Each structure stands twice: as C-alpha cells, then as structure tokens.
Amino acid sequence: MRYGSSRGRRAGFEGKGARRRGVVAAVALAGCGALLATGCSPAGGPGAAAGGSPPGPAAAGSGSPGPSGSPSASPGTAGPPAKGSVTVTGEVAKGLESPWGVAPLPGGDLLVASRDKGTISRVAAGSGAVTQIGRVPGVAPGGEGGLLGLALSPSFASDRLVYAYFTTESDNRIARMRYDEQRPAGQQLGAPDTVFRGIPKGLVHNGGRIAFGPDKMLYAGTGETGDKGLAQDRKSLGGKILRMTPDGDPVHGNPEADSVVYSYGHRNVQGLAWDKDKRLWAAEFGQNTWDELNLIEPGANYGWPEAEGKAGKPGMRDPVAVWKTDEASPSGIAWAEGSVWMAALKGNRLWRIPLAGAELAAEPEAFLEGKYGRLRTVLALGGDSLLLVTSETDGRGSPEAGDDRILTLTVR
C-alpha cells in the first residue's frame, strides 16, 4: 500500500509495500552539484538487505587502463562502511508523465524527458513548477522506446546543447538541440542535429542511457531489441556500450579503429556511471535469472546471450554483482559515497552496492523497498546527495495521485 491505497499488478510486475507521504518541495541546487533541502522527512526507517541477496565479491577482470581512464583496482583499496543509509529529504516535482532522462542545469533546475510524450520540460528547483521547453521531432514512442536519455554538452555554458537518445520509426539515434531560454515556453529547443543514427530499435531492449564521461566523450548504452544475436555481433550497434566524440565520431583509442563500439555482449544497458577513480560501471537487465552490475573495460565481452550472471566462461567478463530479476530489473545508476546506487524497476527499490576499488566491499543493501514503486533514474549531485526518479506511469506500474515524482535523497 502506498499513501493509504493499494497497489495492483500490471504486465506481471508486482508492486507492494507502503510509501510515506510528507517529503517537501523546497530544494535549492547549486550549479550542477550539491543540493540542499529544507523541512527534511525521514525515509521510513533503515534499509535492510532484501531476500535473495546477491553472491559475494567476484574478481572484476584485469586489464590496463582504457581510454575512459578506468584503471584496475589497487590491492587493499578501502571501501565504504558495510551498512549504509538513505533519507528522503525532499520532493522536487510530481505529476510527471513517463519521466526517463534527467539533466541538471547550472543554477539547479532540471531538464526531464518524457518517454511517451516526446517532450523535454524544465523543473524549477525551488517551486517544483514544470514548464515544457519543447518537443523532440521524430520521436516514435512504443513499448520501451521513445524519448529516453538526456545529457548536457560538456561545454553547455557556452554552446547550450542538450543531447537526447530517442526512438524513431526506423532506429534509435542521438541528436543535440540548442536550448534558448529567451524564446517562448514550449519553443525553446532548436532543430535537432543528429550526431549518431542506426542503433537498432524494438518494442523492448532499446537501452537509452547517455552520459559524458570524465574524458568528455559521449557514452551510450544500447539494447539488443530482443534479437539476442545482435549482442555478440561486433558489426551491430545493438547490445553494446558505445563511445564517441560529441560530434558522433569514433574516438581514437577505441577497441577497433573507426568503430564506436566500446564493449559488447550486453542485453539491455540502461545505467552508466563513473566512480571517483574514473572506472565505468553499467547496469544491465538479465532475462529470467540474473540482473547485473558490470565493470566496463574497453573491448570486453560481457557474455549475452551465451552467459547470464556469473557464468565463468573463458573470454567473457563476469558481473561484479548480480540480483534475481524480481529484485532488480535495473535502470539508472549513480556513484556516491563509495557506492553505486541502482534504481530498480520491477524490484521497486534502490540498491546500494558498496565498492572497494573494482570489487564488492560488502553485500548490496536494498532501501525504499515498495515505498515509491518502480524506480527509473538516479543522479549524483555531489557529496551525499542524489536525485531519484520514479517510473509508475510507464505502462507497467500502478500510478497513484502525484506520480511520477523526483525525490532528493541523502545517502551514506
């Protein structure tokens, strides 16, 4: 039960548990970093590891640093405390429809993509007011496709470019649009400039997360669209993590010349994040057995469809952590306070994965289980502050009054 009403089932995805009302909307973000919230409300008690906890630490594959600056773990790397905490400190916005990608603007406001409407809106940090800034032409929503990931150009202060990953009638692609705040509301996005096209599309497994790495290159997680063979096909863009310049070109130093493919053997990547040592982590949907958190090395094969979970197959990288699919079905991830924080859709919870270098420091912990329903995106704001985006209006949830929401969290 959430907010006093019962949650039903839809499309085989179960929602359960209780959710607490009372988070407040007064927040102020400084730059793209720290977020302060007033009138804080506790998260409803300490988190506890959910049933079926993942196996213990697994070696994460050695290798020299890649172009993203992802060194292997140093022996004796100290990790965070075994037990963490999550406190919900504010509600930035509510009443959002199918929110997916989120990008923080300088000054603290947010840009939020609506998967099914194909629009980008601006959320005011202090008031929570939501104003549509524009519609992305060519978006063709359907199934798990639509307007997905958002990212700001590394030079946003001067070029005002917003990048978006979206599904069209023929493919998934990445385009950039100039954001002009001086134009009327609803007309503030310039015409899309497609920087990369031809990523396979499907009703399912479209990937969609994009992010600029520490190297200022653009990374994208893609899915195999339900066609399993694409993941092992090095010539296909499906079931991959891609690395490209901001203009969409292959990066010198990628595993193969003239290719944007950075890693392969993925089923459906929707989470990308870098830790303090510039290692790249990715969350990935499994099929029926194991969801995964992977440490990404350039050129590595992550096994799908020949391996799911910790299979130990020669030439394929095992995940660092795994979950039963009903406990996770992971989407966005973020790194903060020594841990990767992973939003779970079917699992209806936020996972904390404490890390010591490239390995688990302790068992993952589950927080907010069942309190806010399906969780889509988590975003680090600096220090111990995170943003968390719910996903109850995506056609597989049980939306209630106020859904969907963006919450602020303090974590340890």
Side-chain angles (χ1 to χ4, degrees):
M1 185 159 62
R2 297 187 303 133
Y3 290 145
S5 62
S6 61
R7 180 195 296 279
R9 297 170 182 255
R10 181 178 293 184
F13 287 75
E14 183 177 359
K16 57 185 177 181
R19 184 163 85 183
R20 178 174 298 188
R21 191 189 300 270
V23 290
V24 298
V27 295
L29 290 81
C32 287
L35 181 148
L36 303 176
T38 59
C40 297
S41 174
S53 61
S62 60
S64 57
S68 64
S70 53
S72 299
S74 301
T77 302
K83 298 297 182 182
S85 64
V86 172
T87 303
V88 178
T89 53
E91 183 178 83
V92 180
K94 62 182 180 179
L96 302 174
E97 183 177 336
S98 61
W100 213 101
V102 178
L105 291 166
D109 289 358
L110 304 172
L111 294 183
V112 182
S114 169
R115 185 194 70 180
D116 297 341
K117 293 171 65 178
T119 58
I120 299 176
S121 296
R122 181 167 180 156
V123 176
S127 67
V130 179
T131 305
Q132 183 177 312
I133 68 168
R135 184 178 301 273
V136 180
V139 173
E144 296 174 2
L147 180 56
L148 304 174
L150 293 181
L152 300 186
S153 162
S155 304
F156 181 80
S158 58
D159 63 29
R160 311 302 290 177
L161 292 176
V162 178
Y163 284 71
Y165 181 117
F166 58 95
T167 311
T168 73
E169 293 289 351
S170 60
D171 65 357
N172 284 297
R173 63 182 60 179
I174 302 170
R176 59 190 175 190
M177 297 151 286
R178 191 175 305 278
Y179 177 28
D180 184 353
E181 300 174 44
Q182 302 307 311
R183 299 181 65 182
Q187 304 174 37
Q188 296 175 340
L189 288 178
D193 170 23
T194 299
V195 298
F196 197 83
R197 69 180 72 223
I199 301 168
K201 62 162 283 188
L203 284 176
V204 296
H205 307 175
N206 288 288
R209 195 70 61 181
I210 56 174
F212 282 94
D215 55 3
K216 298 185 179 180
M217 297 296 107
L218 180 61
Y219 293 74
T222 76
E224 34 78 305
T225 71
D227 183 351
K228 297 178 182 179
L230 298 184
Q232 291 293 321
D233 181 354
R234 301 289 289 273
K235 296 181 180 179
S236 172
L237 299 170
K240 308 294 189 294
I241 293 176
L242 311 178
R243 176 178 182 253
M244 64 192 76
T245 70
D247 294 327
D249 298 321
V251 182
H252 178 71
N254 272 4
E256 294 185 12
D258 300 322
S259 174
V260 298
V261 173
Y262 192 67
S263 63
Y264 68 106
H266 299 288
R267 185 170 181 266
N268 190 23
V269 176
Q270 286 191 8
L272 298 172
W274 287 262
D275 65 22
K276 66 179 178 62
D277 294 315
K278 301 181 182 180
R279 285 177 287 254
L280 173 59
W281 297 86
E284 180 169 347
F285 288 83
Q287 181 169 264
N288 298 317
T289 310
W290 297 114
D291 293 325
E292 302 177 357
L293 178 70
N294 285 295
L295 173 64
I296 303 303
E297 299 276 359
N301 180 359
Y302 289 84
W304 179 254
E306 298 175 29
E308 181 182 359
K310 297 182 179 181
K313 289 196 173 185
M316 298 180 179
R317 299 298 177 94
D318 278 352
V320 173
V322 297
W323 295 261
K324 292 291 187 180
T325 55
D326 61 353
E327 294 179 340
S329 297
S331 187
I333 62 173
W335 186 90
E337 298 295 292
S339 298
V340 167
W341 300 84
M342 186 176 81
L345 290 164
K346 187 177 179 182
N348 289 190
R349 67 198 78 178
L350 178 69
W351 283 99
R352 173 187 184 257
I353 305 103
L355 298 171
E359 298 182 355
L360 288 179
E363 286 279 317
E365 293 180 279
F367 294 91
L368 308 179
E369 186 174 351
K371 293 182 181 295
Y372 297 97
R374 295 164 58 81
L375 305 180
R376 172 68 67 182
T377 296
V378 57
L379 185 69
L381 295 172
D384 61 359
S385 296
L386 297 179
L387 280 179
L388 182 64
V389 183
T390 70
S391 192
E392 284 291 284
T393 60
D394 67 352
R396 288 176 172 167
S398 301
E400 298 181 358
D403 286 332
D404 270 308
R405 305 165 190 274
I406 300 178
L407 307 171
T408 60
L409 311 179
T410 297
V411 300
R412 180 178 67 84

